[in-house]
Amino acid sequence: MSRSDLPLFAFAGEMVHPDHSGALWLPDHATLIVSDLHFEKGSSFARRGVLLPPYDTRATLATVARLIDRFQPACVISLGDSFHDLGAQARMYDDDLAALEQLTRRTDWVWILGNHDPEPPKALGGRACVRHAVGGLHFQHEAAAIVQRGEVSGHYHPCARIEAEGRTLRRRCFVHDDRRLILPSMGAFTGGLNVLDPAMRGLFGDNLTVWAMGRARVFSIDEHHLRVDQQSLRA
């Protein structure tokens, strides 16, 4: 993967590439980070009577497989909530389980435990932990109350509502300052929290940077182009 193919910036002394898929690539460590895959969210909703197409896990697995083919990582870090609940693995189709196990065998795989999946998956390969460090970066599922420089997390599913040139768009996004970075969710059925919501904006300092996901690249968005969601205006 050529560095010219993706935007590149320094974060906590490490060079990082935000990808339009929602993954983060660390070229100096050959490490790929994905977040909030939420396998079997569709089947979880179906059990509660909300019928959704039962193929979200397969679609998300296909995305991860394409990323591994593209980047050829030495390590993949999944930043928690990889499974939507503790019963998700048991609900997966056998061929999806086999595909996931094959992915974890292709590379060193790290499962960060999240609030939806506080226990490690069984017999799927990889290793599980609450936190993991690579170079100057520290990976965990949720942003800590007291931030350590170089913190990388997920959990919040950040999205940006963007107003520019008379148009308004809402896109999943990466968001960071000089201390912490939060990845967008990659799960097919996951929603998102506006980066200007107090629950998220309060995690960052004044130098907020947003990289919004487009179809083929990410775009750096100035904060003055960001807008709150309409429901926030009515609250």
Side-chain angles (χ1 to χ4, degrees):
M1 172 58 59
S2 168
R3 288 188 172 185
S4 64
D5 292 332
L6 296 171
L8 172 71
F9 65 91
F11 175 68
E14 300 288 348
M15 304 311 296
V16 299
H17 290 297
D19 184 63
H20 67 278
S21 65
L24 189 73
W25 173 239
L26 310 182
D28 295 337
H29 300 279
T31 296
L32 183 72
I33 299 96
V34 298
S35 187
D36 294 272
L37 303 174
H38 280 272
F39 293 138
E40 294 302 309
K41 182 172 183 176
S43 62
S44 174
F45 273 58
R47 294 175 70 188
R48 302 198 302 269
V50 181
L51 299 182
L52 296 172
Y55 306 116
D56 57 307
T57 294
R58 189 158 302 178
T60 303
L61 280 169
T63 298
V64 177
R66 287 193 297 269
L67 286 166
I68 291 175
D69 288 342
R70 180 177 160 208
F71 287 97
Q72 296 293 308
C75 178
V76 172
I77 302 173
S78 186
L79 285 180
D81 287 1
S82 303
F83 300 84
H84 189 65
D85 54 52
L86 291 177
Q89 185 176 342
R91 297 195 305 273
M92 290 176 69
Y93 292 118
D94 289 344
D95 50 351
D96 289 340
L97 281 169
L100 179 54
E101 185 177 6
Q102 184 179 42
L103 291 178
T104 64
R105 288 179 175 177
R106 290 178 60 182
T107 182
D108 180 24
W109 192 287
V110 178
W111 301 104
I112 301 293
L113 301 180
N115 57 297
H116 280 259
D117 53 359
E119 298 177 6
K122 299 177 177 62
L124 283 180
R127 50 198 170 104
C129 55
V130 174
R131 296 177 184 85
H132 184 71
V134 175
L137 304 181
H138 310 273
F139 300 94
Q140 58 199 57
H141 176 60
E142 185 174 355
I146 300 175
V147 62
Q148 179 181 8
R149 184 173 181 266
E151 178 191 277
V152 181
S153 63
H155 181 67
Y156 284 95
H157 305 190
C159 285
R161 186 168 179 259
I162 306 156
E163 185 176 288
E165 299 179 355
R167 300 173 60 201
T168 301
L169 304 172
R170 196 174 194 274
R171 293 286 186 267
R172 299 185 190 192
C173 66
F174 301 80
V175 57
H176 71 92
D177 58 14
D178 58 355
R179 302 173 304 158
R180 62 169 32 124
L181 187 157
I182 298 180
L183 269 67
S185 62
M186 192 172 286
F189 285 167
T190 52
L193 180 66
N194 192 302
V195 295
L196 296 183
D197 187 282
M200 193 181 308
R201 185 63 185 88
L203 296 170
F204 296 95
D206 294 334
N207 55 338
L208 184 76
T209 300
V210 167
W211 295 89
M213 293 164 56
R215 292 180 180 175
R217 53 170 290 195
V218 296
F219 298 86
S220 178
I221 307 297
D222 292 333
E223 189 168 1
H224 72 272
H225 287 303
L226 299 176
R227 300 292 183 269
V228 297
D229 287 330
Q230 293 298 317
Q231 58 266 32
S232 298
L233 291 172
R234 293 193 297 269

